[in-house]
Amino acid sequence: MPLLELVNVKKNYMKGETIIPALRGIDLLIEKGDFLSIVGPSGSGKSTLLNVIGCIDTPTQGSVLYDGTDLSELNDKEKTNYRKENISFIFQSFNLIPVLTARENVELPLIIEKKFNKEEIHDKVTNIIEIVGLGDMADRFPRELSGGQEQRVAIARALVKNPLVVLADEPTANLDSEMSEDIISVMRKMNEEIHTTFIFSTHDPLVEKHARRVIILRDGLIASDERKNHGYAD
Ligand code: ADP
Ligand code: MG
């Protein structure tokens, strides 16, 4: 069974009396472990698509199924719980909490989840911070980190609860090209090593080097859907 299935998803926004069709009929199957990049010009519907996949926004028509569960059939509380457990986000502005250290930022989702004791949280956080390459910076505050390092912390925070899927809307938009490639390759490393599914939008042509699959959106429709082979170990 695919991890995620979108069936004829449409999303309209209203602007005064005018209907803006942001998504015009998206059919999409995403397998577990995929590393999918969504590209397309500004206004093509990338953010809307990610928000619908992340249950931040509800489609006007069509359905979003996770492991065969139709999210529109869940009530708000069930949907929120589903999202908390299974879906993580990475933002282009990093969204770290400035008064918490890198370690404390990464701990936060586990503290909120209330499933693990102190020791378990410490071990999980130490492990993921190591994997994203910030082992010696765990006690620094966001202001003491570069943009690329901050985004690594955000990746660790997204991954620490071991979600089904990580969604990232233009995660490299605020980074220079070297940092961007670095961040995309860290995400790909996570995808290779812990098999987390990533779905992210980008303007960055560098992504072509790392994505397993690239979808091009145009005017709210999928204009192309291509699998890549980069010689990564599979
Ligand atoms: P992208 O992320 O590819 O730039 P978006 O998903 O943000 O595209 O937007 C798709 C279309 O929907 C655009 O025409 C945009 O203006 C419109 N849109 C997005 N969000 C809203 C909103 N909250 N209200 C009205 N129109 C919106
Ligand atoms: Mg956008």
Side-chain angles (χ1 to χ4, degrees), residues 92-217:
Q92 58 172 263
S93 48
F94 322 135
N95 289 17
L96 300 179
I97 297 179
V99 297
L100 299 181
T101 64
R103 165 179 292 282
E104 289 163 346
N105 268 280
V106 178
E107 280 171 354
L108 208 53
L110 295 182
I111 292 171
I112 292 169
E113 215 177 17
K114 295 195 180 104
K115 266 196 339 213
F116 304 101
N117 67 32
K118 241 178 156 176
E119 210 167 298
E120 289 168 323
I121 292 177
H122 183 268
D123 291 349
K124 281 177 188 289
V125 170
T126 303
N127 181 44
I128 197 78
I129 283 184
E130 199 62 51
I131 297 176
V132 300
L134 289 175
D136 46 355
M137 296 181 194
D139 297 322
R140 291 202 193 171
F141 289 94
R143 65 170 183 278
E144 299 169 326
L145 299 170
S146 70
Q149 289 163 345
E150 282 191 81
Q151 197 58 306
R152 282 172 182 251
V153 176
I155 292 172
R157 178 182 59 183
L159 286 161
V160 74
K161 68 179 186 186
N162 198 17
L164 273 180
V165 56
V166 174
L167 304 175
D169 195 3
E170 308 213 25
T172 62
N174 290 327
L175 302 173
D176 66 30
S177 58
E178 204 178 314
M179 286 282 193
S180 297
E181 179 164 17
D182 181 58
I183 285 304
I184 292 170
S185 60
V186 171
M187 297 194 324
R188 179 65 201 244
K189 182 174 168 226
M190 302 293 108
N191 170 257
E192 299 257 296
E193 290 184 7
I194 48 182
H195 310 293
T196 312
T197 309
F198 280 84
I199 307 173
F200 61 103
S201 67
T202 182
H203 269 106
D204 201 327
L206 277 169
V207 73
E208 294 275 334
K209 267 169 80 176
H210 300 285
R212 286 176 193 269
R213 180 179 176 191
V214 177
I215 281 179
I216 302 176
L217 276 190

Side-chain angles (χ1 to χ4, degrees), residues 16-151:
E17 300 283 282
T18 322
I19 296 173
I20 299 172
L23 299 175
R24 297 193 295 145
I26 302 282
D27 291 300
L28 189 57
L29 283 178
I30 299 173
E31 299 293 333
K32 216 170 184 160
D34 215 341
F35 192 75
L36 171 77
S37 168
I38 301 169
V39 299
S42 174
S44 58
K46 302 181 297 297
S47 296
T48 306
L49 180 58
L50 283 165
N51 290 345
V52 164
I53 291 174
C55 320
I56 290 175
D57 217 338
T58 328
T60 309
Q61 197 188 310
S63 45
V64 179
L65 297 98
Y66 273 91
D67 278 332
T69 304
D70 188 342
L71 294 185
S72 65
E73 285 166 11
L74 302 181
N75 65 34
D76 281 352
K77 189 161 176 234
E78 290 170 333
K79 219 191 280 181
T80 304
N81 283 339
Y82 189 88
R83 194 173 63 205
K84 261 199 234 155
E85 265 188 34
N86 300 301
I87 306 172
S88 280
F89 297 86
I90 295 171
F91 302 94
Q92 58 172 263
S93 48
F94 322 135
N95 289 17
L96 300 179
I97 297 179
V99 297
L100 299 181
T101 64
R103 165 179 292 282
E104 289 163 346
N105 268 280
V106 178
E107 280 171 354
L108 208 53
L110 295 182
I111 292 171
I112 292 169
E113 215 177 17
K114 295 195 180 104
K115 266 196 339 213
F116 304 101
N117 67 32
K118 241 178 156 176
E119 210 167 298
E120 289 168 323
I121 292 177
H122 183 268
D123 291 349
K124 281 177 188 289
V125 170
T126 303
N127 181 44
I128 197 78
I129 283 184
E130 199 62 51
I131 297 176
V132 300
L134 289 175
D136 46 355
M137 296 181 194
D139 297 322
R140 291 202 193 171
F141 289 94
R143 65 170 183 278
E144 299 169 326
L145 299 170
S146 70
Q149 289 163 345
E150 282 191 81
Q151 197 58 306

